[in-house]
Amino acid sequence: MNQVLGIINFEDATVDVTGLVNYRPIPSLTFMGRYRLIDFVMSNFTNSGISNVQVYVKNKPRSVYEHVGTGRHYNINSKQGKLRIMHGEEPIQSEIYNTDINAFHSNIQFIEEAKAKYVIIAPSYMIYTIDFSTVLASHKVNKADITIVYKPTDMAKESFIGCTSLSLDKEKRVIASEINLGKNKSRNISLEAYVMSRELFLELIGLAHKTSSVYWLKDIIRDNYDRFVVKGFMVRGLVYPINNLGEYQRANLELTNYANAKQLFDPMWPIMTRTSDSPPTHYGEDAVVVGSSISNGCKIEGTVINSVIGRGVVIKPGAVVINSILLPGVIVGEDSHLEYVIVDKNSKVLEVKELKGEFRQPIYVKRRDRI
Amino acid sequence: MRQNQMLGMILAGGRGTRLEELTTKVAKPAVFFGGKYRIIDFPLSNCANSGVNVVGVLTQYESVLLNSYVAQDQRWGLDAKDSGIYVLPPREKSDGFGMYRGTADAITQNIDFIDQYSPEYVLILSGDHIYKMDYSQMLAEHKAKKADATIAVLEVSLKEASRFGIMNVDNEDRIYEFEEKPKQPKSNLASMGIYIFSWKLLRRALLDDLKEKDSAHDFGKNIIPGMLESGKRLFAWRFKGYWKDVGTIDSLWESNMDLLDESNTLDIMDPSWKIYTEDVAAPPQFIQEHASVKRSIINQGCVIDGTIINSVLFTNVVVEEGAVVKDAVIMPNSIIRKGAIVQRCIVAEDIEIRENAVVGDAHSELIELVAKNR
């Protein structure tokens, strides 16, 4: 896969995980207590043998730099491979100009200089596992100009809202696409992962840039379904789009069930992340924990049911946490009762004794807060 | 500032025979401890946290795993330009193959290595003890007392003292006598096998010792008594805190159990003195529908659907529905199948306990090591 340049793309305005994104960009969102979203696409790339990767960041790059570092923990070889974090080099007049095309354009030299024959572009907000080498093989066999990875779903009414839905012909050629507004149950959802030659990628960047200065890559591809052979590549396994707070909640909570989680966490396809050197988790004498996913470094003395507990969380005696997601470093004080709550990093729930949200409408407690 | 004033040398060649099958294929320093760690993580993390940035690890017995384990020095943050962990097994030399004949000989045979860094001080450690210690404080004391050697000591009960090497000291803690396992101990200061030497002095002592035909080339038996004899300034440095030589299955089990006690002084949860270890790509732990977990330590990658009481579970352990694990230590990747009962024992890594099997005995005097599928 030396012939591939991996590009981790950023997302457009349809992705907005309210609350959590006030503090970090989408790729840095904590997921399942110990990961950040970018770990999944990054691991998919390196497990597929791609060790030359560019990460495009839309805003607030600090946490991405810190987390991704040199990429060594993702198996990117420090001499043969290369991990680059890219952001727009030119000032942005208005947020509407903060598009992937403009970011590619301002870094075009680094795409031109790459020796790779192909590029694989994928966003960080789609959580699934995929071997991109099989996508590339299929791309070549199909003699496609562009291959789009998609997931057929029967949940398009509740999920994948705002994602692109593809219409495919019998040969799996993409003939049209539209935004999924949740009107139909069954849809083929584009996972916004694309395979194409680097040459064509450069051509599309130029074309999009000329067509409209607020165009995204998906816009220019959509405009050209008849001009290029655009094929779909179907994935079968679990896919979670993390495009709003409800979906973030659903993905985390569904994955507390190991029957679901084992589809995503295959020992042969490890999801790698930066270690925080946390000790193992300590369960107290009176702990009650069921149906939950618990990270390392926690101290659990209360009750945890169907929840995701991040690294280093403290749950005091008498506290009850149900269907909730606690990000790393959270403290839940004695006798506090949380249900369908998302508590952001390092916050303390001490004085409030009852907080109750709903499925798809969780209560969000902001970062480093004390309530 | 000069970075490498004090070089660390960890003696990690021992087999640990009394750890039975746990050390048939790996040396004792590589034995698992505390749900996540290997024993040698403790001295290595202590070095990293104390600012000892260059560490030589002297290996000998079954060293393949240990060598590759410690060579990954980024795990302990010792991969910066002037840092490093260097594996130093015995090697073939122009005058034959040079097995390490004793603890002192292991250092003597690596004088060239130490000289490369021309350190002022050398810290000698053992690779098979569990404790947290700030060696920089010990060094400060060594300098303040203008000592030739400083030996860390632990206050033990007089009853226990006859099991240790005992330092007899004056009222300034200057050592005037060293007694190995004395029948009638005069003091309760047990040597922890942790020494700081001024390198020039140690270098000379080692080369002198090399010429002695009858020497066991051992720090406790030869080097320390020799220095005392020649009137060198040797001081005891009193350590307070948790320290354990996990030399037997019983003591390994016990010190794992110690971690379950909230008031244990080892406190591996303390973020200001982290113990670093291998970074495994395992998912979080999944505590499932039928699980019950009380007073236990569990590491990432475990999938628990049974009952866990008073136990320590390492990475990727699976405990199926209806199984009970009580007062046990389960090492990585082992599986406890449905309905099995595992109690008061250590289950080695990669072991499968079959459905409804009963392993260990709640009333046994000694702790059983389960090293085969059952």
Side-chain angles (χ1 to χ4, degrees), chain B residues 23 62 81 93 111 144 155 196 198 202 233 273 284 299 312 354 365:
Chain B
T23 54
E62 277 296 351
K81 192 165 167 293
K93 295 180 179 162
I111 283 178
E155 295 179 27
I196 291 178
S198 298
L202 177 64
R233 291 172 61 81
W273 199 270
N299 198 36
V312 175
R354 299 198 181 91
E365 190 198 336

Side-chain angles (χ1 to χ4, degrees), chain A residues 20-258:
Chain A
L20 293 168
V21 293
N22 290 343
Y23 303 102
R24 70 284 275 175
I26 292 286
S28 298
L29 286 199
T30 305
F31 188 69
M32 288 305 285
R34 67 183 302 266
Y35 299 101
R36 292 183 186 256
L37 293 188
I38 195 171
D39 293 337
F40 289 82
V41 62
M42 206 61 203
S43 301
N44 282 337
F45 274 155
T46 58
N47 287 337
S48 302
I50 300 168
S51 58
N52 198 348
V53 178
Q54 297 182 354
V55 182
Y56 285 80
V57 189
K58 194 179 185 181
N59 53 19
K60 298 192 183 74
R62 197 260 314 150
S63 57
V64 178
Y65 275 104
E66 260 180 42
H67 184 72
V68 169
T70 60
R72 175 184 196 154
H73 47 285
Y74 298 111
N75 261 332
I76 288 187
N77 185 297
S78 61
K79 302 289 181 192
Q80 296 298 313
K82 191 166 193 77
L83 178 79
R84 272 189 164 131
I85 300 178
M86 326 288 268
H87 32 75
E89 299 280 335
E90 290 143 31
I92 287 167
Q93 313 299 332
S94 148
E95 195 51 31
I96 60 163
Y97 298 106
N98 199 354
T99 66
D100 56 357
I101 290 292
N102 286 333
F104 298 144
H105 197 262
S106 70
N107 291 291
I108 199 107
Q109 155 196 5
F110 303 102
I111 301 167
E112 283 170 349
E113 281 171 4
K115 290 188 185 71
K117 182 150 189 261
Y118 296 96
V119 290
I120 298 182
I121 304 140
S124 57
Y125 77 95
M126 290 287 185
I127 299 294
Y128 63 112
T129 55
I130 186 169
D131 183 348
F132 282 118
S133 66
T134 62
V135 188
L136 179 64
S138 139
H139 177 82
K140 288 180 189 168
V141 168
N142 288 332
K143 297 195 166 57
D145 295 313
I146 300 171
T147 299
I148 305 181
V149 178
Y150 74 95
K151 163 79 183 170
T153 180
D154 291 332
M155 290 184 61
K157 276 192 170 174
E158 318 84 73
S159 286
F160 299 97
I161 305 295
C163 295
T164 300
S165 155
L166 305 176
S167 303
L168 301 150
D169 71 9
K170 276 185 199 140
E171 263 73 55
K172 286 200 174 177
R173 182 165 171 175
V174 179
I175 45 177
S177 64
E178 57 179 347
I179 305 272
N180 174 34
L181 298 173
K183 287 190 189 126
N184 297 68
K185 190 170 153 231
S186 299
R187 289 270 140 157
N188 293 319
I189 301 294
S190 161
L191 303 185
E192 286 178 46
Y194 310 98
V195 179
M196 65 186 89
S197 68
R198 189 172 54 94
E199 200 181 345
L200 177 58
F201 182 52
L202 286 165
E203 187 187 328
L204 288 177
I205 295 167
L207 197 59
H209 200 67
K210 256 182 263 166
T211 311
S212 158
S213 45
V214 298
Y215 246 33
W216 290 74
L217 179 62
K218 60 182 174 185
D219 296 324
I220 197 69
I221 292 175
R222 179 201 58 217
D223 287 359
N224 287 283
Y225 291 143
D226 50 353
R227 199 177 137 205
F228 299 117
V229 178
V230 182
K231 290 274 193 166
F233 180 96
M234 187 174 81
V235 294
R236 289 169 206 279
L238 274 183
V239 179
Y240 291 107
I242 311 297
N243 56 353
N244 59 53
L245 196 63
E247 291 285 62
Y248 177 82
Q249 181 198 36
R250 176 176 76 94
N252 275 281
L253 294 186
E254 283 188 16
L255 288 168
T256 58
N257 185 343
Y258 187 65

